[in-house]
C-alpha cells in the first residue's frame, strides 16, 4: 500500500537586500554641507540681530532712567558704554544715579497712577477671561436656539473699531454716572475685550475630543462640573494667552483712559502724558516712569511665556 504524504511547501530562500552599489549611493557634497551650515548660522545670526534691535529701546530707556538730566542733555544714552576701554561694552558706572527713581517715588501723581492702572487692568482681565470662558464653552458644546447666529454676531463685533463707540458710550456713561470713573473704564475694556475672548476660547474648546466629554457625562458630571474639572484644565494654555493679551491691551491703553478715566487720578499712560504737557522736559520723572510702565507688562509676558506659546500653537499640530 502506497502512502501519499502531503506535499510540503518548498522553502523559499530569503534574499537579503543588496547593498547599494557605488552608482546608487547618495553622497552629500562638501559644497552642500557648507551651504547648509552657513544657512544654519545665518538664521541664528539674523535672530540675534532682530533680538538686539528689539531690545535696544528698552536698554536705551533703562540707561536714560539711571542718568541725570544734565548728562541726558549733553549726550545720548549710548554714552554709558566706555568706548575708550579695551572692551567697548564696559559700562561707565559714574553716569548712573538713583535720584530719578527717588523723584519718581516722591511724585504722588505717578505713583498713584500705577495703583489706578492695576485697579483697571486686573478686573478687566479677570472679567473678560471668566465670561469669555463660559461663553466659549456654551458656543462650543451647548445646544440652544440661535447659537450659530449669536456666534456670528460676536465675530462681527471683532471688526468694530473702538473709535466708533467713544461718543455713544460717553453719553451712556454720563447718563449712568460712570463717566470719569474707574468702573467705567473697566466696563469699556470688558465690553470690547469679550468678542475676541469668546472667539478665541470657543475655537479652542471645540478642539476638545467629544468622547472625553461624553465619558465625563456618563460618569455623572453635570455641565458645571464638566466645565470646571475637564474643560478649564485642558484650556489652560488658551486662557493664559487670552489673559496676557487682555492685560497688555488694557495696561498700555491711553485713548480710553484719556477719555473715560478720572483726570485727577489717571492711569500711568495718562499720568506720563500729563507730565509732558505740564513740565515739558521733566525727564527725571518721565524716563523711570516710562521704564516702570514698560517693564511690568514684560514681566507678565515672560512669566507666562510657556503658556502663551502653547496657546498660540494649539491646533497647529495634530
Amino acid at each position: 500500500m502506497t502512502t501519499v504524504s502531503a506535499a510540503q511547501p518548498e522553502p523559499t530562500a530569503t534574499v537579503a537586500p543588496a547593498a547599494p552599489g557605488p552608482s546608487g549611493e547618495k553622497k552629500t557634497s562638501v559644497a552642500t554641507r557648507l551651504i547648509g551650515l552657513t544657512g544654519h548660522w545665518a538664521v541664528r545670526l539674523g535672530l540675534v540681530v532682530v533680538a538686539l534691535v528689539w531690545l535696544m529701546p528698552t536698554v536705551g530707556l533703562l540707561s536714560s532712567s539711571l542718568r541725570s538730566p544734565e548728562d541726558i542733555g549733553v549726550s545720548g544714552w549710548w554714552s554709558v558704554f566706555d568706548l575708550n576701554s579695551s572692551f567697548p561694552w564696559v559700562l561707565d558706572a559714574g553716569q548712573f544715579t538713583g535720584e530719578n527713581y527717588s523723584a519718581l517715588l516722591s511724585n504722588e501723581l505717578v505713583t498713584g497712577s500705577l495703583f489706578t492702572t492695576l485697579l483697571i487692568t486686573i478686573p478687566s482681565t479677570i472679567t473678560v477671561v471668566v465670561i469669555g470662558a463660559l461663553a466659549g464653552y456654551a458656543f462650543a458644546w451647548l445646544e440652544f436656539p440661535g447659537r450659530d447666529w449669536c456666534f456670528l454676531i460676536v465675530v462681527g463685533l471683532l471688526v468694530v473699531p473702538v473709535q466708533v463707540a467713544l461718543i455713544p458710550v460717553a453719553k451712556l456713561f454720563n447718563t449712568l454716572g460712570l463717566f470719569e470713573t474707574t468702573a467705567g473704564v473697566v466696563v469699556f475694556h470688558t465690553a470690547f475685550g469679550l468678542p475676541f475672548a469668546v472667539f478665541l476660547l470657543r475655537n479652542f474648546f471645540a478642539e476638545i475630543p467629544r468622547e472625553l466629554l461624553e465619558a465625563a457625562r456618563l460618569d455623572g458630571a453635570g455641565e458645571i462640573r464638566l466645565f470646571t474639572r475637564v474643560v478649564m484644565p485642558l484650556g489652560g494654555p488658551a486662557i493664559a494667552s487670552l489673559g496676557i493679551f487682555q492685560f497688555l491691551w488694557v495696561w498700555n491703553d491711553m485713548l480710553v483712559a484719556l477719555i473715560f478715566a478720572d483726570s485727577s487720578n489717571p492711569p500711568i499712560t495718562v499720568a506720563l502724558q500729563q507730565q509732558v504737557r505740564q513740565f515739558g522736559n521733566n525727564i527725571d520723572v518721565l524716563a523711570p516712569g516710562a521704564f516702570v510702565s514698560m517693564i511690568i507688562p514684560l514681566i507678565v509676558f515672560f512669566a507666562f511665556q510657556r503658556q502663551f506659546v502653547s496657546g498660540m500653537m494649539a491646533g497647529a499640530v495634530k
Side-chain angles (χ1 to χ4, degrees), residues 56-122:
M56 190 174 297
T58 305
V59 175
L61 186 59
L62 174 61
S63 63
S64 298
S65 66
L66 294 172
R67 302 176 69 204
S68 63
E70 293 77 13
D71 292 337
I72 295 176
V74 172
S75 59
W77 64 267
W78 52 87
S79 62
V80 298
F81 297 99
D82 190 1
L83 301 180
N84 297 324
S85 175
S86 301
F87 302 95
W89 54 83
V90 175
L91 297 177
D92 185 6
Q95 297 188 32
F96 294 149
T97 178
E99 296 180 356
N100 293 343
Y101 286 93
S102 299
L104 176 69
L105 295 177
S106 62
N107 191 311
E108 296 181 357
L109 178 63
V110 177
T111 53
S113 65
L114 288 173
F115 182 71
T116 302
T117 306
L118 290 175
L119 288 180
I120 294 174
T121 305
I122 294 176

Side-chain angles (χ1 to χ4, degrees), residues 24 44 56 96 130 136 155 209 266 288 298:
R44 287 194 174 187
M56 190 174 297
F96 294 149
V130 172
V155 174
L298 286 178

